[in-house]
Amino acid sequence: EVQLQASGGGLVQPGGSLRLSCAASGFTFGDYAIGWFRQAPGKEREGVSGISSSGRSTYYADSVKGRFTISRDNAKNTVHLQMNSLKPEDTAVYYCAVDFKRLGVRRDPPAYDVWGQGTQVTVSS
């Protein structure tokens, strides 16, 4: 069974940092791109960052460029999202997902096939 487990969320003050992790199982992890997405209350789910199967290609939403860094460890079946200089507008539930279609790193949520359960990130003083 394909499973993705997101973790690492929490409450942090503006300007703080969090590191999210996505642990995967049930498939050949190193063969597929992984994406991070977020959804704030009343808003649509949006792409935050993504990483190719090898880790050589990445993308970031304009709103997080220079603050977030995505990485993966294919030996441990894990993707991380390091989030620095957090802002209140980063508050959302964060999800990781896998794209089984091998078409590069894609940004749109419908491109992804299996989703983790989400982890809450709250940025507030």
Side-chain angles (χ1 to χ4, degrees):
E1 181 186 4
V2 174
Q3 289 189 328
L4 297 164
Q5 180 85 22
S7 62
L11 173 64
V12 63
Q13 292 186 343
S17 298
L18 283 174
R19 188 189 194 211
L20 304 185
S21 296
C22 176
S25 62
F27 63 99
T28 306
F29 181 77
D31 284 354
Y32 303 103
I34 301 292
W36 279 101
F37 302 83
R38 66 187 181 187
Q39 188 165 19
K43 295 188 176 181
E44 292 187 355
R45 191 169 297 190
E46 64 174 353
V48 175
S49 182
I51 189 165
S52 65
S53 57
S54 67
R56 286 191 287 267
S57 296
T58 60
Y59 90 86
Y60 297 94
D62 288 343
S63 58
V64 308
K65 279 180 183 176
R67 301 189 296 123
F68 290 12
T69 303
I70 192 170
S71 62
R72 69 188 294 160
D73 184 340
N74 285 346
K76 296 182 178 180
N77 289 7
T78 304
V79 171
H80 298 290
L81 185 68
Q82 178 66 42
M83 307 188 297
N84 299 328
S85 302
L86 283 161
K87 304 175 181 180
E89 51 263 44
D90 295 317
T91 295
V93 178
Y94 283 70
Y95 301 87
C96 59
V98 59
D99 178 3
F100 286 126
K101 302 173 194 67
R102 297 187 182 184
L103 297 176
V105 186
R106 298 193 288 173
R107 301 170 181 247
D108 295 332
Y112 287 75
D113 299 295
V114 178
W115 294 74
Q117 86 291 356
T119 185
Q120 176 71 48
V121 172
T122 303
V123 185
S124 175
S125 54

